[in-house]
Amino acid sequence: MPLPPPSRTTPVPPSGPRRRTLLASAAGTALLVGCSSSSDSTATSAGSPSVAERTRARAAADSAGLVQKYDTAIAAYPVLAERLSELRAEVVRHTEAFGGAEPAPTPTSASPSVSAPASAAPSPAVPVSEQDALAGLAAAERTLVDRRTKALLEVPGEPARLLASVAAAGAAHVYLLTEGAK
């Protein structure tokens, strides 16, 4: 026995919101929450610097300190200047990328009788030999690579990408300072 044809009555509109409306509003809410939470990670309610800002400032200071170590090694062993000048220039670019300024050249000399003015920041110790200078720079670069790699877990988006890039460059510097001498 065949079924009777369906009746042609006017459909009753649903009493609540449609499925498309619910999905669209849920997606919009997720986007708004995503946007607002990313802006909250860059500033705190107390007005103190965010983790990203503190990490960036520390990275700039670390890179500036590393530039001074390069300056000390180059001043003590001018024969290393050609080899170290490109690495130093790259560390200066890292300092600037983190928002720091290129540090003033460190007044150092291989002779202990020359000292920096009392108001200047303490300069790094003069290495005993060329090999010690290279090893000291490699150790300083390695320390910064480790510090920056750990900091990646704490910072969001662009600061993390910058830290990762500079850490990778630092790892390359370590290689060039240690393996390049062989």
Side-chain angles (χ1 to χ4, degrees):
M1 172 182 251
L3 294 174
S7 64
R8 302 261 180 204
T9 61
T10 309
V12 177
S15 60
R18 294 182 175 255
R19 185 180 337 165
R20 286 184 193 154
T21 306
L22 287 175
L23 290 175
S25 64
T29 302
L31 286 174
L32 288 175
V33 168
C35 290
S36 65
S37 67
S38 67
S39 64
D40 290 342
S41 68
T42 59
T44 60
S45 60
S48 63
S50 70
V51 171
E53 291 167 346
R54 287 190 309 267
T55 301
R56 183 179 288 265
R58 175 152 188 190
D62 288 344
S63 290
L66 188 56
V67 169
Q68 289 181 337
K69 290 180 184 196
Y70 274 95
D71 288 343
T72 299
I74 291 169
Y77 302 101
V79 71
L80 295 175
E82 183 179 341
R83 181 174 176 188
L84 298 180
S85 63
E86 283 301 315
L87 298 177
R88 180 197 179 277
E90 204 167 305
V91 175
V92 168
R93 286 190 293 273
H94 298 163
T95 303
E96 293 166 349
F98 287 121
E102 179 178 356
T106 307
T108 59
S109 170
S111 103
S113 63
V114 176
S115 61
S119 63
S123 63
V126 177
V128 177
S129 68
E130 290 175 21
Q131 290 75 24
D132 287 344
L134 295 173
L137 288 171
E141 290 269 14
R142 191 175 296 114
T143 298
L144 290 183
V145 167
D146 293 343
R147 183 178 299 149
R148 290 170 177 163
T149 303
K150 288 177 186 173
L152 286 174
L153 300 174
E154 300 172 1
V155 294
E158 190 58 34
R161 285 188 285 279
L162 179 59
L163 272 176
S165 176
V166 172
H173 291 185
V174 170
Y175 175 80
L176 292 171
L177 289 165
T178 57
E179 299 299 319
K182 294 180 180 178

